[in-house]
Amino acid sequence: MLIVMQVDASEEQVRRVCAVIEELGYEARPMPGRQRTTVGLVGNDGRVDGSRLEALPGVSEVIHVSKPYKQVSKEWRAEPTVVKVGPGLAVGGNAVVVMAGPCSVESEAQIMAAAQAVKQHGATVLRAGAFKPRSSPYSFQGLGLEGLKLLARAREATGLRIVTEAMDPEGADLVAEYADIIQVGARNMQNYSLLKKVGKLRKPVLLKRGLSATIQELLLSAEYILAEGNPDVILCERGVRGFDSATRNLFDLSAIPVVKSVSHLPIVADPSHGVGHRDMVTPMARAAVAAGADGLLVEVHPTPDRALSDGAQSLYPEQFARMMQETRLIAEAIGRKVATA
Ligand code: PEP
Ligand code: MN
C-alpha cells in the first residue's frame, strides 16, 4: 500500500502517517520525492484498512498495490481450476459445459419434458430453481423440497447433473443433498452467511454476479467460499443493471476475459438473465463461448408461454437445439468442444 502525501504536507504530517502505520504493526518507508512524499506500507497481509490512513491530515490518496483477494487470484494458483461435477464431467477444462432448463421446477410433467429436451439436444446439466428468490413476494416462490425431489427424479431418468439454487444457510444442506452444483443467485452474492455456509460444504458452487456488483466484488465473494475450504467455485456472469431498458440487464461479456486475466476460477455465462428476451439469447450465448466462457447457463422451457417465471427469456426446445449446433461450431473454432455425456 502506498500513502501519497499532499504537495504541501508538513514533515509532522508525514511522521504522523508513519506512526499510525507502525501502530498498526507494519513497517513505514517514507520516500521523499521532488514534489511530494509517498509513504510505503510494507508487509500488508490484506488486513490493512486504508480508510484509516486516507483520513489523516496531509494525505492525498491511498494506492492499493496488491489485490484484496488472495486464493481466487492467479498469483495464488497459476493453473486453471477444473471443477469436477460428478464422474466424467468438469467445468474449467477444454470442454464447454451447457447447463439448461427452466427457470423454476413447476411440475413433474414440466421438469421431465424439459430434462428430456435439453438432454436430447446435448446439455449435460439440468438447471431449475426449487427455491426462487423473486423480486415480488406475490410471485411464484418455487416448489421447495418437492421441487428438489422432482429434480432428483429427472436426474435418475436422464443422467443429467443438477444445478439448483440455495437461498439461505439453513436451506443449503437440503439443496446439497439433492444438487450436483449449488447455485448462489445474484441477489445473494453478498449474503456472507450463505457464502460461508457453502464454503463448508463439499459440493461445487455456482456463484452468480450480483445485480450491480463489480468483478472485484464477485471475486471477493468467491474468496469467502475458498477461505472456508471449498475450492470448487464456478463464477457466472449474468448481466448487471444498466440504464437501457432494451435488455433486462447489461450482459457484460468483457467480464469473461477480465476474470480469466486475474483468476484461475472457471466462469460460465448466463445470457438468459443477461438479456431477458429469448430472441437475443442465442447470439449472446455464441458470443460468450467465443469470449472464452467455460460453460453456459440457459433457460429452456417445454412451453415458455405457460412458464411460471421468466417465460419471455426461455428458449423453445427447437431454439435450444439450434443454439447448441451453433455453439459447437464456435467452440471448435477456438479449439474447444461442447461437453458430452
Ligand atoms: C435464475 O438463475 O433463475 C436466477 C434467479 O438468476 P439470478 O440470480 O441471476 O437472477
Ligand atoms: Mn430465471
Side-chain angles (χ1 to χ4, degrees), residues 75-317:
E75 289 170 9
W76 181 275
R77 192 192 138 97
E79 329 81 76
T81 287
V82 179
V83 177
K84 289 206 181 73
V85 184
L89 188 67
V91 182
N94 184 251
V96 174
V97 175
V98 178
M99 313 178 187
C103 182
S104 311
V105 186
E106 299 168 4
S107 67
E108 176 156 15
Q110 175 251 17
I111 197 64
M112 286 300 181
Q116 258 130 23
V118 302
K119 158 124 186 169
Q120 187 197 333
H121 301 306
T124 40
V125 180
L126 175 65
R127 65 138 293 145
F131 297 95
K132 295 303 300 178
R134 305 304 301 283
S135 296
S136 161
Y138 307 115
S139 301
F140 176 59
Q141 302 285 308
L143 297 182
L145 175 58
E146 180 54 23
L148 294 179
K149 289 184 175 162
L150 293 177
L151 284 171
R153 228 170 279 168
R155 172 173 47 205
E156 235 168 79
T158 59
L160 291 166
R161 312 292 148 80
I162 303 293
V163 57
T164 193
E165 179 159 357
M167 289 215 307
D168 40 55
E170 301 74 41
D173 286 314
L174 188 62
V175 168
E177 262 179 57
Y178 289 86
D180 298 290
I181 305 172
I182 306 167
Q183 178 171 324
V184 173
R187 288 157 193 78
N188 268 319
M189 190 203 82
Q190 288 181 317
N191 179 340
Y192 298 115
S193 339
L194 178 60
L195 298 176
K196 286 182 185 173
K197 174 70 198 187
V198 297
K200 291 191 181 86
L201 300 175
R202 290 293 158 267
K203 270 278 157 86
V205 176
L206 180 105
L207 176 65
K208 299 189 87 173
R209 183 173 180 183
L211 305 181
S212 302
T214 62
I215 296 168
Q216 178 158 302
E217 285 164 341
L218 171 65
L219 290 168
L220 282 167
S221 289
E223 184 82 18
Y224 267 86
I225 303 172
L226 270 74
E228 292 294 335
N230 187 350
D232 293 328
V233 175
I234 303 161
L235 303 171
C236 179
E237 165 58 38
R238 48 79 73 202
V240 288
R241 285 258 157 95
F243 51 80
D244 193 334
S245 59
T247 52
R248 177 175 177 176
N249 286 299
L250 191 62
F251 184 53
D252 183 8
L253 266 180
S254 61
I256 298 162
V258 170
V259 163
K260 294 273 168 205
S261 71
V262 294
S263 176
H264 53 82
L265 293 176
I267 177 163
V268 304
D270 171 356
S272 307
H273 293 84
V275 296
H277 306 281
R278 72 171 67 88
D279 291 341
M280 302 169 193
V281 170
T282 298
M284 287 297 107
R286 292 193 306 247
V289 172
D294 296 299
L296 294 170
L297 186 74
V298 183
E299 289 186 341
V300 181
H301 196 290
T303 49
D305 312 343
R306 277 187 251 145
L308 296 182
S309 59
D310 286 349
Q313 68 193 32
S314 299
L315 299 181
Y316 288 95

